[in-house]
Amino acid sequence: MAIVNGIQIRLSDLEVAQQGLPAQYRNMPLQAVFPALLDRIIDSKMVVQEARKAKIQDDAAFKKRMAFVEEQVLQEAWLQRELAKRVTQAKLQQRYDERIKTMPPEEEVRGAPYPGLDRG
Protein backbone atom coordinates (compact mmCIF):
# COMPACT_ATOMS: atom_id res chain seq x y z
CA MET A 1 0.00 0.00 0.00
CA ALA A 2 2.76 2.45 1.01
CA ILE A 3 6.33 2.65 2.23
CA VAL A 4 7.32 5.08 5.01
CA ASN A 5 11.06 5.52 5.48
CA GLY A 6 11.60 1.93 4.34
CA ILE A 7 8.74 0.45 6.41
CA GLN A 8 5.97 -1.17 4.39
CA ILE A 9 2.32 -0.55 5.18
CA ARG A 10 0.18 -3.43 3.99
CA LEU A 11 -3.54 -3.83 3.45
CA SER A 12 -3.61 -6.11 6.49
CA ASP A 13 -2.25 -3.19 8.58
CA LEU A 14 -5.19 -1.07 7.44
CA GLU A 15 -7.65 -3.85 8.26
CA VAL A 16 -6.23 -4.19 11.78
CA ALA A 17 -6.29 -0.42 12.26
CA GLN A 18 -9.91 -0.29 11.11
CA GLN A 19 -10.86 -2.63 13.98
CA GLY A 20 -9.55 -0.02 16.41
CA LEU A 21 -11.91 2.64 15.07
CA PRO A 22 -15.28 3.51 16.67
CA ALA A 23 -18.08 1.07 15.78
CA GLN A 24 -19.71 3.27 13.13
CA TYR A 25 -16.43 3.28 11.15
CA ARG A 26 -15.58 -0.37 11.82
CA ASN A 27 -18.66 -1.49 9.94
CA MET A 28 -18.03 0.73 6.91
CA PRO A 29 -16.34 -0.71 3.81
CA LEU A 30 -12.58 -0.29 4.02
CA GLN A 31 -12.61 1.82 0.84
CA ALA A 32 -14.71 4.46 2.63
CA VAL A 33 -12.16 5.01 5.40
CA PHE A 34 -9.05 4.08 3.41
CA PRO A 35 -7.53 7.55 2.78
CA ALA A 36 -7.91 8.78 6.35
CA LEU A 37 -6.79 5.45 7.79
CA LEU A 38 -3.70 5.34 5.57
CA ASP A 39 -2.76 8.89 6.59
CA ARG A 40 -3.21 7.94 10.23
CA ILE A 41 -0.99 4.87 9.88
CA ILE A 42 1.71 6.84 8.01
CA ASP A 43 1.73 9.48 10.76
CA SER A 44 1.89 6.79 13.40
CA LYS A 45 4.82 5.00 11.72
CA MET A 46 6.75 8.26 11.50
CA VAL A 47 6.19 9.05 15.19
CA VAL A 48 7.22 5.51 16.18
CA GLN A 49 10.43 5.84 14.16
CA GLU A 50 11.27 9.07 16.00
CA ALA A 51 10.45 7.47 19.35
CA ARG A 52 12.79 4.56 18.58
CA LYS A 53 15.55 6.99 17.60
CA ALA A 54 15.08 8.67 20.99
CA LYS A 55 15.31 5.20 22.62
CA ILE A 56 11.97 5.58 24.39
CA GLN A 57 11.68 1.78 24.41
CA ASP A 58 14.63 1.58 26.84
CA ASP A 59 12.99 3.84 29.45
CA ALA A 60 11.97 2.05 32.68
CA ALA A 61 8.53 3.72 32.78
CA PHE A 62 7.92 2.64 29.18
CA LYS A 63 8.89 -0.96 29.96
CA LYS A 64 6.59 -1.01 32.99
CA ARG A 65 3.68 0.32 30.95
CA MET A 66 4.33 -2.18 28.15
CA ALA A 67 4.29 -5.04 30.65
CA PHE A 68 0.91 -3.81 31.91
CA VAL A 69 -0.49 -3.49 28.38
CA GLU A 70 0.83 -6.95 27.50
CA GLU A 71 -1.02 -8.44 30.47
CA GLN A 72 -4.24 -6.73 29.40
CA VAL A 73 -3.94 -7.98 25.83
CA LEU A 74 -3.11 -11.51 27.00
CA GLN A 75 -6.11 -11.49 29.33
CA GLU A 76 -8.45 -10.30 26.59
CA ALA A 77 -7.13 -12.81 24.05
CA TRP A 78 -7.44 -15.70 26.50
CA LEU A 79 -10.97 -14.73 27.53
CA GLN A 80 -12.08 -14.43 23.91
CA ARG A 81 -10.59 -17.82 23.08
CA GLU A 82 -12.23 -19.50 26.06
CA LEU A 83 -15.62 -17.87 25.36
CA ALA A 84 -15.47 -18.98 21.73
CA LYS A 85 -14.90 -22.57 22.90
CA ARG A 86 -17.71 -22.54 25.45
CA VAL A 87 -20.42 -20.39 23.88
CA THR A 88 -21.88 -21.94 20.75
CA GLN A 89 -25.10 -21.30 18.89
CA ALA A 90 -26.37 -24.74 19.94
CA LYS A 91 -25.66 -24.04 23.61
CA LEU A 92 -27.33 -20.64 23.40
CA GLN A 93 -30.41 -22.18 21.78
CA GLN A 94 -30.53 -24.93 24.43
CA ARG A 95 -30.29 -22.37 27.23
CA TYR A 96 -33.02 -20.24 25.61
CA ASP A 97 -35.32 -23.26 25.23
CA GLU A 98 -34.77 -24.23 28.89
CA ARG A 99 -35.50 -20.69 30.04
CA ILE A 100 -38.71 -20.49 28.02
CA LYS A 101 -39.96 -23.77 29.53
CA THR A 102 -39.51 -22.47 33.08
CA MET A 103 -41.19 -19.12 32.50
CA PRO A 104 -44.82 -18.98 33.62
CA PRO A 105 -47.27 -18.13 30.87
CA GLU A 106 -48.33 -14.51 30.81
CA GLU A 107 -51.83 -13.37 30.08
CA GLU A 108 -52.07 -10.95 27.21
CA VAL A 109 -53.82 -7.78 28.24
CA ARG A 110 -55.56 -5.56 25.75
CA GLY A 111 -57.00 -2.20 26.60
CA ALA A 112 -60.40 -1.06 25.43
CA PRO A 113 -60.32 0.80 22.11
CA TYR A 114 -60.37 4.54 22.28
CA PRO A 115 -63.89 5.90 22.11
CA GLY A 116 -64.78 7.16 18.66
CA LEU A 117 -61.98 5.32 16.84
CA ASP A 118 -63.05 2.92 14.14
CA ARG A 119 -61.06 -0.31 14.24
CA GLY A 120 -62.19 -1.45 10.82
Side-chain angles (χ1 to χ4, degrees):
M1 306 299 325
I3 297 178
V4 177
N5 295 335
I7 297 175
Q8 290 186 355
I9 298 174
R10 297 187 169 92
L11 180 59
S12 59
D13 297 326
L14 284 136
E15 291 168 342
V16 169
Q18 186 180 22
Q19 294 310 306
L21 294 174
Q24 69 265 26
Y25 299 109
R26 249 183 279 144
N27 298 325
M28 293 175 73
L30 183 57
Q31 300 88 338
V33 294
F34 180 87
L37 203 52
L38 183 58
D39 285 345
R40 182 176 173 188
I41 291 173
I42 289 171
D43 291 345
S44 176
K45 295 286 184 188
M46 292 174 70
V47 170
V48 167
Q49 285 180 344
E50 290 302 314
R52 288 188 192 284
K53 283 182 194 174
K55 304 223 183 269
I56 300 294
Q57 70 274 16
D58 296 336
D59 184 70
F62 173 82
K63 288 179 180 182
K64 187 174 183 175
R65 186 166 181 205
M66 283 302 294
F68 178 76
V69 170
E70 181 183 25
E71 286 180 1
Q72 287 182 314
V73 172
L74 282 170
Q75 178 183 350
E76 182 181 318
W78 184 84
L79 287 170
Q80 286 179 351
R81 184 179 294 174
E82 290 302 309
L83 283 173
K85 284 188 222 175
R86 297 174 189 196
V87 178
T88 64
Q89 188 60 40
K91 288 180 181 178
L92 286 172
Q93 185 65 48
Q94 178 184 2
R95 183 70 180 239
Y96 172 80
D97 292 342
E98 290 170 1
R99 178 82 174 159
I100 292 297
K101 287 178 188 175
T102 62
M103 291 179 69
E106 293 184 18
E107 183 179 330
E108 186 175 325
V109 178
R110 291 182 169 215
Y114 292 104
L117 288 180
D118 186 358
R119 290 217 152 199

